[in-house]
Amino acid sequence: MENLEIEGSHKNFFIPTVSFNAKTGICEISGESFLEDTVEFYKQIIEWLERYIDEVKGPIAFIVKLSYFNTSTSRSLLDILNLLKDYEDEGGEVVVNWHFDENDVDMEEDIDDYIIDTGLDINKIPY
Amino acid sequence: MDAQLNSNILNLYRTFGDNTPLSYKGPIDDHILQVIGTYIEGLLKHSPKAGKKVFKIFIELAQNISYYSAERSKLANNKDIGTGMVLISEQAEYYTFMTGNLVKTDDIISIIEKSEVINSLDREELREYKREQRKLPPGKKGGAHIGLIQVALTSSNPLDIEVNPVDEEHSFFSIAVKIDK
C-alpha cells in the first residue's frame, strides 16, 4: 500500500501537511487547515485510513500538530477520530498524540472536547 | 466630478476614523480572505493572543458571508460569491470585529434564535452545544453548523446581533464581537 503524502501550503487557503506511512502506521498531520473544499480534502485521508485498516490491519499512531483549523475542518477531524475509535474497539492498536501550544487554551479545550466526543485516549502534548 | 459623491466618501472615511484599521465592502472570495487574513496577521503581531482570536473569528464570519449572504456577485471566473462588509475597530483594551450582510428575511429567524441560544449559555454549556451541533450531518459547503458557536467561544464575549429590515424579502444582519487584548 502506498504512503499518503500531501505538501502543505499557506496561500489563499491553508493546506495542512499530511504524511501517512503505510509501513509504520505513523500518520502525521501538521500546519494549518482552512480549505476551499474541506469534505473533499479529508475524504482522501479517511479513505486511506479505511484501506489501511482493511488491508494492513497494523497499528496506527495518529500525530496531530495543527496550529490552526477552522470549524469545517474540526468536523472532518471528528470523522477521523471516530474511525480510529471504531478500529480500536475492533481490536486495532491506536495511539493519538496531539501537540499544541501550551498558551493556546482554546486548542486544549478543543482536544478535551474530542476526548469527550469520541471516548478515545488522546495524549495532549504541550510545547 | 460629482462633488456630492466625493463629500459622501469623505464623510464615510471620517466616520470610520483612526480606530478603524480595516473596512471592506464587496464580494468575499478566497483572494479577499487571503488579503484581509494576511493583513490581520501583520496588524496584530504586537498582540499575538488577541491577533489569533481576531483571525479565527474573521475566517468563520467571512466564510459565512461568502457562502450564505443573500447578495451575490458574479466574478469574471464565473464564481458566485457572497457580498458583505467586514470591519475591525481598535480600542485601548479590545478589538471589535464586525460583519454585515443581507439575509433573506425567511432565514433570519433561525439565525437570531441560534444567536440567542449562544448568548444564554455559559462556556461549558456552549462547548456542549458545539459538540451536539458538530455531530449533525454537514451543511451546505461542508459547514459544521458551529461557526457562530466557535466565534462566541473564541471571543469569550456575547455576540452582538442586529437585524434591520431592508425590503420585503431582505434584512441586513450585522454581528459585532469584542476581542479583549
Side-chain angles (χ1 to χ4, degrees), chain B residues 6-83:
Chain B
N6 279 335
S7 82
N8 280 352
I9 201 161
L10 175 62
N11 285 337
L12 191 61
Y13 187 80
R14 283 183 177 147
T15 304
F16 288 149
D18 294 334
N19 59 1
T20 308
L22 187 133
S23 56
Y24 173 81
K25 177 188 180 289
I28 298 188
D29 73 338
D30 52 331
H31 295 96
I32 295 295
L33 282 176
Q34 194 222 2
V35 171
I36 301 181
T38 310
Y39 179 75
I40 292 173
E41 285 177 319
L43 185 75
L44 305 173
K45 270 212 171 101
H46 53 275
S47 58
K49 210 176 148 198
K52 188 159 188 189
K53 285 175 183 286
V54 173
F55 182 79
K56 284 171 78 172
I57 289 168
F58 158 69
I59 292 288
E60 296 300 330
L61 293 183
Q63 245 182 343
N64 275 354
I65 294 177
S66 144
Y67 291 162
Y68 304 118
S69 173
E71 188 182 353
R72 315 296 301 178
S73 298
K74 202 83 164 175
L75 302 187
N77 59 9
N78 234 8
K79 267 193 180 169
D80 179 49
I81 298 292
T83 286

Side-chain angles (χ1 to χ4, degrees), chain A residues 97-109:
Chain A
N97 289 342
W98 202 305
H99 300 255
F100 68 102
D101 178 352
E102 60 178 354
N103 297 315
D104 194 343
V105 184
D106 294 348
M107 184 63 86
E108 191 173 1
E109 269 186 8

Side-chain angles (χ1 to χ4, degrees), chain A residues 11-14 34 36 39 67-68 70-72 74-75 104 106 109-110 112-114 117, chain B residues 30-31 33-34 52-53 55-56 59-60 63 79 123 127 130-131 134-136 138 144 146 150:
Chain A
K11 289 179 193 149
N12 288 16
F13 292 95
F14 306 158
F34 159 55
E36 183 163 29
V39 173
S67 59
Y68 166 71
N70 68 343
T71 54
S72 302
S74 97
R75 203 190 169 283
D104 194 343
D106 294 348
E109 269 186 8
D110 269 327
D112 288 336
D113 283 340
Y114 282 125
D117 249 352
Chain B
D30 52 331
H31 295 96
L33 282 176
Q34 194 222 2
K52 188 159 188 189
K53 285 175 183 286
F55 182 79
K56 284 171 78 172
I59 292 288
E60 296 300 330
Q63 245 182 343
K79 267 193 180 169
R123 191 166 188 89
R127 285 171 64 185
K130 175 179 156 185
R131 292 196 300 271
R134 188 165 59 184
K135 283 182 192 154
L136 300 172
I146 56 173
Q150 187 62 56

Side-chain angles (χ1 to χ4, degrees), chain A residues 21 27 35 42 48 67-70 87 89 91 96 103 113:
Chain A
N21 190 303
C27 302
L35 301 138
Y42 281 94
W48 188 95
S67 59
Y68 166 71
F69 52 86
N70 68 343
Y87 182 45
D89 288 346
V96 182
N103 297 315
D113 283 340

